[in-house]
């Protein structure tokens, strides 16, 4: 995918999809697992339920598990309702993310939801991340608590991706907006990606920098996925032909004023880490960061966690072992 071919795909898909994020998954088709996805790894640790509309991924001493979309996509709206494992989950990571690392090993793109397990009595944390053009040396991680326990019930997690912005949603509330800036250069995801969901053992880094590890006494750890939405511009990986439907609604309307208020309230109450304020990793904040002194002061009490400079992402596809904050008032 080079030169004029890639430029044509970007322009073509973006023009077709340009008017679509306010159409949430409530207005997007929920598809059976077999229509949009295939098992990635895990053998019997991936089980399909509810007439093909729900899938359970489990982690035990033998292996984790995962699934992958049939198609590559260039922009779109991607969503799933997820219920996470309960009890002691330290070292466990559940991921719902987009990547093209299998096709572009040296300059891949990635858009991540990562759910980080915890010791008993402490809730899961949620982490978002964005890589573009292999920019893993600049991890754009943010980390949050949630206003609910994600192990109690299903909640919706969504990614809206256009040529100019990426928006992460939890239960239709935007929690993060990443806008493409000129200073980011190729660090903004711009190549077709596949959608993945995985559960795996990340004992080396996921909970307090590896202090707490997966305890298989509590296995199997089961993550449940339902209400799967793939609503984007599918791309043929060989012919480089975009398979966008002409009747698709666009995804570029962005965050409304009312949604922005909710997003700002969420971030003030629940964000515990932002790469922009991590002086241990970045002597100078990346160019797209806008430093807010009040936000910096609030985040100062949270210790930055070592993420391994992005190197941990390759472990997601290993097939064998080895491979909330306290609830606040609603916003």
């Amino acid at each position: 995918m080079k030169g004029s071919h890639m430029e044509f795909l970007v322009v073509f898909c973006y023009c077709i999809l340009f008017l679509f994020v306010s159409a949430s998954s409530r207005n997007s088709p929920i598809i059976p697992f077999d229509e949009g996805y295939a098992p990635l790894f895990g053998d019997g640790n991936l089980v399909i339920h509810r007439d093909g509309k729900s899938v359970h991924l489990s982690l035990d001493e033998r292996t984790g598990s995962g699934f992958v979309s049939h198609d590559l996509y260039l922009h779109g709206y991607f969503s799933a309702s997820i219920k996470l494992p309960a009890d002691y989950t330290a070292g466990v990571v559940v991921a719902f993310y987009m990547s093209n690392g299998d096709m572009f090993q040296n300059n891949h793109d990635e858009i991540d939801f990562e759910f980080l397990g915890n010791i008993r009595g402490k809730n899961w944390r949620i982490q978002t991340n964005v890589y573009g053009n292999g920019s893993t040396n600049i991890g754009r991680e943010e980390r949050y608590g949630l206003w609910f326990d994600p192990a109690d019930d299903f909640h919706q997690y969504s990614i809206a991706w256009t040529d100019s912005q990426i928006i992460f949603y939890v239960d239709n509330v935007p929690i993060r907006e990443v806008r493409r800036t000129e200073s980011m250069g190729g660090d903004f995801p711009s190549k077709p990606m596949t959608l993945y969901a995985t559960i795996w053992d990340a004992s080396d880094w996921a909970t307090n920098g590896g202090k707490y590890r997966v305890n298989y006494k509590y296995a199997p750890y089961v993550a449940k996925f339902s209400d799967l939405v793939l609503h984007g511009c599918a791309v043929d990986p060989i012919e480089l032909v975009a398979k966008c439907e002409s009747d698709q609604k666009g995804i570029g309307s962005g965050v409304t004023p009312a949604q922005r208020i909710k997003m700002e309230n969420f971030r003030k109450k629940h964000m515990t880490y932002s790469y922009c304020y991590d002086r241990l990793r970045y002597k100078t904040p990346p160019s797209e960061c806008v430093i807010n002194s009040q936000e910096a002061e609030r985040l100062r009490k949270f210790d930055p966690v070592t993420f391994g400079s992005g190197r941990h992402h390759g472990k997601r596809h290993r097939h064998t072992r080895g491979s909330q904050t306290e609830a606040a008032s609603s916003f």
Side-chain angles (χ1 to χ4, degrees):
M1 294 187 181
K2 310 183 187 176
S4 60
H5 290 291
M6 196 64 239
E7 292 173 4
F8 172 77
L9 284 178
V10 170
V11 172
F12 180 72
C13 289
Y14 186 54
C15 288
I16 288 179
L17 290 170
F18 182 63
L19 293 168
F20 157 116
V21 153
S22 46
S24 71
S25 67
R26 289 174 297 182
N27 300 317
S28 300
I30 294 172
I31 62 173
F33 179 83
D34 289 342
E35 288 187 18
Y37 301 91
L40 179 64
F41 71 99
D43 303 320
N45 282 14
L46 183 154
V47 180
I48 300 172
H49 294 269
R50 286 177 47 204
D51 297 326
K53 295 181 180 179
S54 177
V55 59
H56 293 184
L57 300 180
S58 62
L59 166 69
D60 55 28
E61 286 189 278
R62 182 178 60 90
T63 183
S65 53
F67 61 85
V68 59
S69 63
H70 291 312
D71 291 322
L72 284 162
Y73 294 90
L74 185 62
H75 311 140
Y77 180 90
F78 311 94
S79 182
S81 291
I82 306 171
K83 183 179 179 181
L84 298 173
D87 207 353
Y88 182 98
T89 55
V92 177
V93 170
V94 175
F96 180 69
Y97 67 106
M98 304 191 74
S99 177
N100 49 32
D102 291 342
M103 295 183 65
F104 302 94
Q105 295 184 7
N106 297 321
N107 62 335
H108 84 286
D109 304 308
E110 198 165 312
I111 303 172
D112 299 339
F113 266 118
E114 291 180 312
F115 305 92
L116 312 180
N118 219 327
I119 59 177
R120 181 182 283 117
K122 292 186 177 292
N123 289 335
W124 286 79
R125 284 99 11 100
I126 185 173
Q127 180 168 290
T128 62
N129 202 357
V130 173
Y131 292 141
N133 202 32
S135 60
T136 54
N137 62 318
I138 303 177
R140 290 178 167 84
E141 297 97 336
E142 287 188 354
R143 181 174 289 168
Y144 328 88
L146 292 167
W147 65 96
F148 54 83
D149 184 345
D152 279 349
D153 204 350
F154 285 90
H155 291 270
Q156 183 187 37
Y157 305 91
S158 310
I159 296 168
W161 171 40
T162 74
D163 183 60
S164 60
Q165 64 183 355
I166 297 164
I167 305 172
F168 296 89
Y169 295 87
V170 176
D171 288 340
N172 293 314
V173 174
I175 65 167
R176 182 182 185 184
E177 178 184 35
V178 179
R179 295 184 179 182
R180 185 175 195 162
T181 65
E182 184 176 348
S183 63
M184 290 177 73
D187 288 357
F188 189 90
S190 58
K191 298 185 290 296
M193 289 190 279
T194 306
L195 189 70
Y196 295 88
T198 57
I199 185 170
W200 53 292
D201 184 333
S203 292
D204 290 343
W205 66 274
T207 309
N208 286 37
K211 180 179 179 180
Y212 300 104
R213 306 179 68 81
V214 173
N215 185 339
Y216 286 98
K217 168 186 174 182
Y218 301 97
Y221 298 96
V222 181
K224 302 177 181 180
F225 290 75
S226 66
D227 297 340
L228 302 171
V229 173
L230 287 170
H231 192 52
C233 180
V235 175
D236 188 302
I238 299 175
E239 299 296 331
L240 306 183
V241 175
K243 298 182 286 185
C244 300
E245 298 177 5
S246 59
D247 63 346
Q248 279 187 328
K249 297 178 180 179
I251 70 166
S253 56
V255 177
T256 67
Q259 286 178 321
R260 190 165 298 281
I261 291 172
K262 288 186 176 183
M263 181 170 67
E264 290 174 354
N265 287 339
F266 169 84
R267 295 172 67 80
K268 288 178 182 177
K269 291 181 179 180
H270 299 290
M271 186 166 73
T272 60
Y273 173 85
S274 170
Y275 73 103
C276 286
Y277 299 95
D278 192 337
R279 295 187 179 180
L280 295 179
R281 297 174 67 194
Y282 305 115
K283 301 289 186 188
T284 302
S287 58
E288 74 273 8
C289 291
V290 177
I291 301 302
N292 179 302
S293 58
Q294 291 182 333
E295 188 169 64
E297 185 62 29
R298 186 183 67 80
L299 293 176
R300 196 183 304 262
K301 63 181 179 180
F302 298 104
D303 291 332
V305 174
T306 300
F307 298 97
S309 300
R311 291 189 295 271
H312 65 270
H313 288 283
K315 296 180 182 177
R316 286 188 181 134
H317 293 178
R318 289 189 182 176
H319 297 188
T320 59
R321 181 183 173 187
S323 55
Q324 117 203 107
T325 61
E326 186 175 331
S329 58
S330 65
F331 41 82

